[in-house]
């Protein structure tokens, strides 16, 4: 069987390395190389989704006998969050973990390993239209009516703000407690090919991975947790379709004037839909907050080039000033701070319904990334399953990307459990099709909703503005419907 | 016999008038009137009749039939899909037999030995061999072509090629050597979707019984011989939906759950202390196989009986 794909060429490696990888493949294909080490599950990618899958497999009594490996190009140990990390600085890569994701992390025994001082639960969400100011607020107290009293056991937390490095460190701690995973890190996958058919064994349907350390692994099930440009997905010949939003997401860790209007025990997340894209301020411990601002690439480049003082002023303006004012401010090369201060005096705002003012930006945390919508045609192939960003990339406006990956990992763990219990080959399409059935439609719905929201709020004038405002106000007035939306946001509680 | 995509998953009644002389199916001694009027004259002799010698429990036409099926056996979206989908339920049922039946004095060992009769392409045999509680699986089938498929597919899994784990034999049960000691008997003997293909069920079962270890189980799945199974498979599955390949089954060969209970009850030495178990199942398009309480009365069902000891 000829090699299907040389990943050496796919990666940004030197030409010499590429040639070496190809030569090695040829040698392997001719059958003269040492036979590969056989694994039940090889997971490529040690991000939150891949680690959650492996932890789930190791934590389950049913699947703990599987032989599993993790291949990660980065150094997992070096990238761990130190125990004594200062609470004055936070990573700019944060996610809003839903209660459903947290429950899964509890189920696999990982949550107790989390650095809780660096996790910020929030109890309220304020979302409003930047053009019409129509507003919807979410908190568990507002959704019950006299007929549907809030149960005492009902959670008050909408979601948990957590640095991605905290999530991965949490999972790595649990994984090392469980043991039994062969971790290859930092190790790159140089190529993936199908195995060979010998008289004793027919591995022609098995992916064989050649690693940068020279090892070869044969995978009964190869899991692609290797991100949006997933080499595993490419190997499997699965197309990923979608488009670029022509928007960049600016992220930064910012310091606010105080802990928030609800105090340290009632934290609020804010999101304002501007015609250029949503701007969101998500609470972190203390006076810190995580900014996510979706905006056109040109404006993103300019914002990133501003002085911290001007950048802070622009963020404050993003929550306070009109779209027209913002359009003007975006044209300035510098001096936004003074300009914003002057305009704020003439723009009345209800300070109780917007985030506290940004007073400082944590050095080195301002960054941006292009926003995309991508969805793989399927999450499974013969001996291949995709999880997380390898399967789908979503607009960040609902903060669902990481949660979808956690949902994928939990679902795939359950599907593998069922397959093991009934003696199925866990790499077979028959065993895996339940995973695709369970996750594809759900993720597709979430991708669609977030995409539609983005499009809806990109409109600056006309009847759509009126309609969407009417819709937002109507939902806000109806407790049960809001409860439904909040339940969905919380991960289907 | 003309057929397009033979499959064992569901059964069809076809070309009745073109069939060779009638073959017995009733497992009880009492003749019964079938619920569906058939074109050919009906007669329900005892399954102990000398109609077929025990040396050819399986009809040669059935053998050639499954030869034609061989190439697509492991295609998950091919004609054997319904069988593939049913396979996990087999394990569910066996686990239930083993774990929720009141125990006998002799208990089964930690690691189990399986004998799978009529293994076909190895769907069940492979899965049984992968289970952590399995010592070994011996799987037999009289059809050479499907056995080749089974052997070929087995080579795709390093676990299955371990010596002694999974052994295929191109044999009918009558060619399998009778066990001389308990060590040669099996803890679990399985007979999935086979009974309905057998000409004379009683002599066939008699051949199998000595292979079951005391305390071990004979587990089978088959189809009840009722008007619903006739209507569903013949009219709906074949003519309306077209999901059932022609020529796989003959409704008249079906055996009812009550007939099995009666036969084993009279036999003695089997099924005491709750050691007869039933699970009715039905295929729901779009959802797969579902357990249905009482389903054994009108369609596909699993049945297990424990050997006393």
């Amino acid at each position: 069987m000829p090699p299907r794909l040389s990943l050496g060429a796919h990666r940004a490696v030197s030409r010499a390395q590429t040639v070496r990888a190809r030569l090695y493949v040829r040698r392997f294909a001719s059958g003269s190389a040492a036979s590969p080490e056989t694994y039940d599950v090889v997971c490529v990618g040690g991000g939150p989704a891949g680690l959650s899958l492996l932890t789930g497999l190791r934590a389950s009594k049913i699947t703990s006998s599987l032989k599993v490996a993790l291949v990660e190009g980065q150094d997992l140990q070096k990238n761990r969050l130190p125990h004594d990390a200062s609470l004055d600085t936070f990573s700019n890569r944060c996610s809003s973990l839903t209660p459903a994701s947290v429950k899964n992390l509890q189920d696999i025994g990982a949550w107790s390993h989390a650095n809780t001082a660096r996790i910020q639960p929030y109890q309220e969400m304020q979302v409003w239209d930047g053009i019409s100011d129509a507003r919807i607020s979410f908190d568990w107290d507002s959704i019950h009516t006299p007929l549907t009293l809030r149960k005492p056991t009902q959670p008050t937390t909408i979601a948990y703000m957590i640095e991605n490095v905290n999530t991965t460190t949490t999972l790595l701690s649990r994984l090392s407690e469980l043991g039994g995973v062969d971790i290859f890190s930092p190790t790159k996958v140089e190529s993936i090919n199908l195995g060979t058919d010998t008289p004793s064994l027919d591995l022609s349907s098995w992916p064989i991975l050649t690693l940068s350390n020279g090892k070869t692994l044969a995978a009964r099930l190869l899991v692609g947790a290797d991100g949006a440009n997933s080499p595993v997905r490419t190997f499997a010949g699965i197309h990923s379709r979608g488009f670029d939003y022509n928007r960049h997401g600016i992220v930064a860790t910012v310091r606010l004037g105080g802990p928030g209007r609800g105090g340290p025990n009632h934290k609020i997340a804010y999101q304002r839909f501007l015609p250029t894209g949503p701007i969101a301020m998500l609470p972190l411990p203390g006076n810190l907050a995580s900014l996510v601002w979706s905006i056109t690439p040109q404006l993103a480049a300019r914002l990133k080039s501003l002085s911290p003082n001007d950048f802070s002023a622009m963020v404050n303006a993003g929550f306070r000033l009109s779209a027209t004012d913002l359009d003007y401010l975006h044209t300035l090369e510098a001096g936004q701070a003074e300009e914003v201060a002057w305009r704020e005096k003439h723009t009345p705002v209800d300070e109780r319904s917007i985030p506290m003012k940004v007073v400082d930006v944590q050095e080195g945390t301002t960054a941006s990334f292009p926003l995309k919508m991508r969805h793989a045609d399927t999450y499974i192939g013969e001996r291949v399953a995709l999880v997380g960003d390898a399967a789908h990339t979503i607009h960040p406006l609902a903060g669902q990307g990481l949660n979808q990956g956690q949902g994928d990992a939990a679902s795939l763990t359950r599907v593998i459990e069922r397959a093991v219990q009934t003696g199925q080959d866990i790499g077979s399409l028959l065993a895996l099709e339940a995973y695709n059935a369970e996750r594809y439609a759900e993720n597709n719905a979430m991708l669609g909703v977030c995409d539609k929201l983005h499009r809806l709020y990109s409109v600056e004038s006309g009847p759509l503005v009126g309609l969407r405002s009417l819709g937002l106000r109507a939902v806000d007035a109806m407790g049960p419907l809001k409860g439904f939306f909040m339940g969905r946001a919380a991960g289907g509680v | 016999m003309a057929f397009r995509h033979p499959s064992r998953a569901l059964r069809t009644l076809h070309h009745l008038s073109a069939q060779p002389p009638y073959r017995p199916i009733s497992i009880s001694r009492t003749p019964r009137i079938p619920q569906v009027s058939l074109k050919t004259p009906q007669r329900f002799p005892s399954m102990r009749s000398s109609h077929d010698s025990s040396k050819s429990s399986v009809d040669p036409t059935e053998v050639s039939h499954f030869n034609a099926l061989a190439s697509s056996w492991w295609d998950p979206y091919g004609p054997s899909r319904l069988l593939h989908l049913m396979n996990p339920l087999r394990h569910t049922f066996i686990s239930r037999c083993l774990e929720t039946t009141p125990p006998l004095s002799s208990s089964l060992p930690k690691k189990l030995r399986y004998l799978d009769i009529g293994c076909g392409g190895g769907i069940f045999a492979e899965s049984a061999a992968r289970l952590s509680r399995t010592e070994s699986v011996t799987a037999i089938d009289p059809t050479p072509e499907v056995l080749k498929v089974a052997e070929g597919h087995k080579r795709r899994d390093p676990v299955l090629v371990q010596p002694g784990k999974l052994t295929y034999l191109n044999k009918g049960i009558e060619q399998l050597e009778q066990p001389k000691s308990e060590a040669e008997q099996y803890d679990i003997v399985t007979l999935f979707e086979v009974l309905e293909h057998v000409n004379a069920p009683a002599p066939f079962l008699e051949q199998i019984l000595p292979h079951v270890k005391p305390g071990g189980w004979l587990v089978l799945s088959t189809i009840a011989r009722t008007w619903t199974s006739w209507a569903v498979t013949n009219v709906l599955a074949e003519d309306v939906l077209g999901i059932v390949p022609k020529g796989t089954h003959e409704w008249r060969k079906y055996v009812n759950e009550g007939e099995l209970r009666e036969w084993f009850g009279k036999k003695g030495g089997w099924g005491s202390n709750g050691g007869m178990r039933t699970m009715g199942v039905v295929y729901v398009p779009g959802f797969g196989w579902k357990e249905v309480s009482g389903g054994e009365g009108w369609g596909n069902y699993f049945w297990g009986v424990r050997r006393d000891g």
Side-chain angles (χ1 to χ4, degrees):
Chain A
M1 178 76 57
R4 270 174 70 174
L5 175 73
S6 171
L7 292 178
H10 190 86
R11 296 182 168 266
V13 293
S14 74
R15 191 167 162 73
Q17 277 175 301
T18 307
V19 170
R20 186 162 52 80
R22 284 201 178 128
L23 283 176
Y24 188 77
V25 165
R26 193 163 300 144
R27 198 149 53 80
F28 176 74
S30 69
S32 60
S35 63
E37 185 156 9
T38 303
Y39 285 89
D40 290 310
V41 178
V42 175
C43 179
V44 179
L51 290 175
S52 187
L53 171 75
L54 290 171
T55 307
L57 291 175
R58 292 299 305 150
S60 159
K61 274 188 190 140
I62 298 161
T63 52
S64 60
S65 57
L66 296 176
K67 190 178 173 191
V68 295
L70 168 65
V71 185
E72 165 59 52
Q74 305 277 320
D75 188 337
L76 286 170
Q77 294 310 320
K78 222 162 94 181
N79 291 338
R80 285 176 81 137
L81 180 69
H83 288 295
D84 52 355
S86 161
L87 287 173
D88 292 334
T89 56
F90 274 73
S91 157
N92 59 1
R93 304 283 308 267
C94 292
S95 293
S96 177
L97 271 188
T98 62
S101 294
V102 170
K103 179 169 186 309
N104 177 52
L105 290 172
Q106 287 167 338
D107 289 347
I108 62 178
W111 191 243
S112 56
H113 293 262
N115 185 337
T116 43
R118 303 184 71 85
I119 299 173
Q120 182 58 62
Y122 59 90
Q123 291 78 21
E124 188 181 335
M125 212 161 34
Q126 292 281 340
V127 180
W128 71 102
D129 189 328
I131 297 292
S132 71
D133 267 349
R135 178 177 290 264
I136 184 164
S137 62
F138 295 98
D139 69 76
W140 289 108
D141 281 325
S142 73
I143 59 154
H144 62 81
T145 65
L147 288 174
T148 58
L149 287 168
R150 190 176 152 264
K151 289 176 225 132
T153 55
Q154 214 168 312
T156 54
T157 297
I158 291 173
Y160 302 77
M161 281 304 291
I162 182 170
E163 297 159 287
N164 291 359
V165 66
N166 195 355
T167 306
T168 51
T169 304
T170 296
L171 285 162
L172 281 169
S173 300
R174 172 62 173 149
L175 213 47
S176 65
E177 178 182 78
L178 290 161
V181 181
D182 290 349
I183 298 178
F184 301 98
S185 160
T187 308
K188 293 202 186 310
V189 177
E190 294 209 331
S191 68
I192 311 174
N193 309 280
L194 289 173
T196 51
D197 188 357
T198 67
S200 59
L201 200 57
D202 175 8
L203 291 181
S204 59
S205 71
W206 285 54
I208 313 288
L209 294 89
T210 304
L211 308 185
S212 55
N213 62 6
K215 280 193 168 32
T216 54
L217 319 179
R220 181 184 293 279
L221 172 60
L222 173 61
V223 176
D226 46 354
N229 297 318
S230 169
V232 169
R233 190 183 64 220
T234 308
F235 159 76
I238 298 170
H239 290 283
S240 179
R241 293 164 208 279
F243 43 82
D244 297 346
Y245 281 104
N246 192 30
R247 292 287 187 283
H248 278 213
I250 296 184
V251 292
T253 304
V254 295
R255 182 177 297 280
L256 306 182
R261 304 195 188 285
N265 296 321
H266 182 91
K267 288 278 197 165
I268 306 166
Y270 299 89
Q271 180 156 291
R272 187 188 189 199
F273 281 93
L274 292 167
T276 44
I279 180 170
M281 188 72 78
L282 298 145
L284 291 174
N287 294 358
L288 299 181
S290 179
L291 169 80
V292 185
W293 191 350
S294 311
I295 201 159
T296 59
Q298 298 77 14
L299 296 182
R302 176 160 293 173
L303 281 171
K304 278 200 296 181
S305 71
L306 296 178
S307 69
N309 201 25
D310 284 340
F311 182 83
S312 301
M314 282 305 282
V315 174
N316 290 330
F319 285 101
R320 287 166 174 79
L321 298 184
S322 71
T324 320
D325 279 340
L326 287 168
D327 282 347
Y328 171 72
L329 291 165
H330 282 307
T331 63
L332 301 179
E333 294 287 342
Q336 276 85 350
E338 295 80 43
E339 189 66 33
V340 170
W342 183 81
R343 279 164 196 264
E344 277 179 346
K345 281 186 217 153
H346 302 278
T347 311
V349 286
D350 180 3
E351 288 287 337
R352 285 171 306 170
S353 60
I354 53 174
M356 286 183 161
K357 273 192 181 170
V358 174
V359 295
D360 197 10
V361 183
Q362 186 186 309
E363 201 184 334
T365 61
T366 309
S368 75
F369 52 94
L371 301 185
K372 296 169 179 179
M373 211 280 267
R374 293 279 189 282
H375 204 185
D377 286 351
T378 174
Y379 298 171
I380 59 167
E382 181 76 18
R383 304 204 177 281
V384 170
L386 306 176
V387 295
D389 288 354
H392 40 72
T393 307
I394 191 171
H395 194 290
L397 64 79
Q400 291 301 316
L402 191 133
N403 293 299
Q404 284 188 319
Q406 294 299 298
D408 294 346
S411 167
L412 186 55
T413 304
R414 284 193 299 274
V415 165
I416 293 173
E417 275 182 344
R418 280 201 292 273
V420 167
Q421 274 177 313
T422 56
Q424 293 182 75
D425 183 339
I426 60 167
S428 69
L429 282 169
L430 270 159
L432 295 172
E433 63 181 31
Y435 165 62
N436 196 51
E438 205 170 286
R439 292 304 297 169
Y440 196 91
E442 176 154 343
N443 285 334
N444 204 41
M446 185 60 86
L447 286 165
V449 166
C450 292
D451 177 49
K452 301 299 179 296
L453 275 174
H454 166 80
R455 279 157 205 288
L456 187 60
Y457 285 96
S458 304
V459 179
E460 285 186 62
S461 61
L464 258 181
V465 174
L467 279 174
R468 78 190 181 205
S469 307
L470 197 64
L472 214 54
R473 290 192 178 108
V475 171
D476 194 38
M478 286 186 285
L481 185 59
K482 221 160 86 174
F484 170 78
F485 281 128
M486 285 177 72
R488 294 293 296 181
V493 173
Chain B
M1 194 183 292
F3 44 84
R4 291 181 311 223
H5 304 289
S7 155
R8 302 172 75 175
L10 285 183
R11 71 301 326 165
T12 60
L13 178 71
H14 76 289
H15 302 315
L16 272 178
S17 53
Q19 287 292 320
Y22 165 77
R23 298 188 201 95
I25 46 151
S26 173
I27 205 161
S28 71
R29 289 174 180 277
T30 321
R32 290 222 203 150
I33 304 301
Q35 287 162 303
V36 185
S37 135
L38 301 173
K39 287 177 188 166
T40 44
Q42 294 302 299
R43 164 171 82 87
F44 288 86
S46 151
M47 62 190 258
R48 285 175 193 281
S49 79
S50 59
H51 177 83
D52 274 312
S53 85
S54 59
K55 281 179 190 164
S56 58
S57 61
V58 176
D59 188 330
T61 59
E62 298 274 14
V63 175
S64 69
H65 194 108
F66 293 117
N67 269 337
L69 184 74
S71 63
S72 60
W73 203 284
W74 281 98
D75 176 0
Y77 306 105
S80 296
R81 178 168 171 82
L82 293 188
L83 260 196
H84 283 285
L85 294 180
M86 182 188 256
N87 198 47
L89 274 180
R90 295 165 169 173
H91 293 287
T92 305
F93 181 67
I94 292 172
S95 301
R96 197 176 295 177
C97 288
L98 296 180
E99 286 153 25
T100 68
T101 307
L104 296 171
S105 53
S106 63
S107 60
L108 290 178
K110 277 216 174 85
K111 290 267 194 176
L112 303 174
R113 295 179 73 232
Y114 283 78
L115 171 63
D116 185 30
I117 300 166
C119 62
I123 294 173
F124 174 77
E126 278 199 5
S127 62
R130 278 192 205 98
L131 295 176
S132 56
R133 211 192 153 182
T134 298
E135 173 75 42
S136 68
V137 176
T138 303
I140 65 170
D141 200 289
T143 313
E145 289 305 316
V146 294
L147 245 284
K148 268 184 221 155
V149 170
E151 290 281 10
H153 200 268
K154 171 186 157 181
R155 288 176 45 253
R156 295 159 69 121
D157 191 336
V159 168
L160 303 178
V161 298
Q162 291 169 38
K165 194 71 175 174
L166 172 59
T167 310
Y168 286 112
L169 301 172
N170 187 7
K171 286 181 177 179
I173 185 67
E174 43 287 297
Q175 284 113 36
L176 194 68
E177 208 175 313
Q178 292 287 320
K180 292 183 219 44
S181 69
E182 216 173 274
E184 290 177 17
Q185 289 174 319
Y186 295 91
D187 303 298
I188 313 277
V189 176
T190 54
L191 195 62
F192 290 124
E193 314 302 310
V194 169
L195 205 55
E196 63 271 23
H197 301 283
V198 173
N199 290 332
F204 180 60
L205 287 174
E206 293 282 8
Q207 295 266 2
I208 293 169
L209 299 185
H211 294 281
V212 183
K213 191 185 282 181
W217 286 81
L218 169 65
V219 177
L220 59 86
S221 62
T222 187
I223 312 138
R225 185 182 68 261
T226 62
W227 69 269
T228 39
S229 68
W230 179 85
V232 166
T233 60
N234 191 40
V235 181
L236 214 104
E238 185 179 327
D239 295 336
V240 180
L241 298 175
I243 56 169
V244 174
K246 296 189 181 201
T248 301
H249 296 82
E250 265 185 86
W251 178 83
R252 290 176 303 169
K253 289 184 181 176
Y254 295 1
V255 176
N256 287 338
E257 193 257 0
E259 293 165 339
L260 286 167
R261 280 185 182 272
E262 191 185 333
W263 193 78
F264 275 93
K266 280 182 183 161
K267 193 158 185 58
W270 291 80
S272 67
N273 202 23
M276 282 195 204
R277 303 294 297 264
T278 309
M279 179 170 91
V281 292
V282 65
Y283 180 74
V284 184
F287 291 93
W289 289 95
K290 295 287 164 214
E291 181 177 354
V292 179
S293 177
E296 65 276 11
W298 46 274
N300 293 71
Y301 66 94
F302 286 93
W303 199 76
V305 61
R306 182 174 57 190
R307 183 170 193 169
D308 296 350

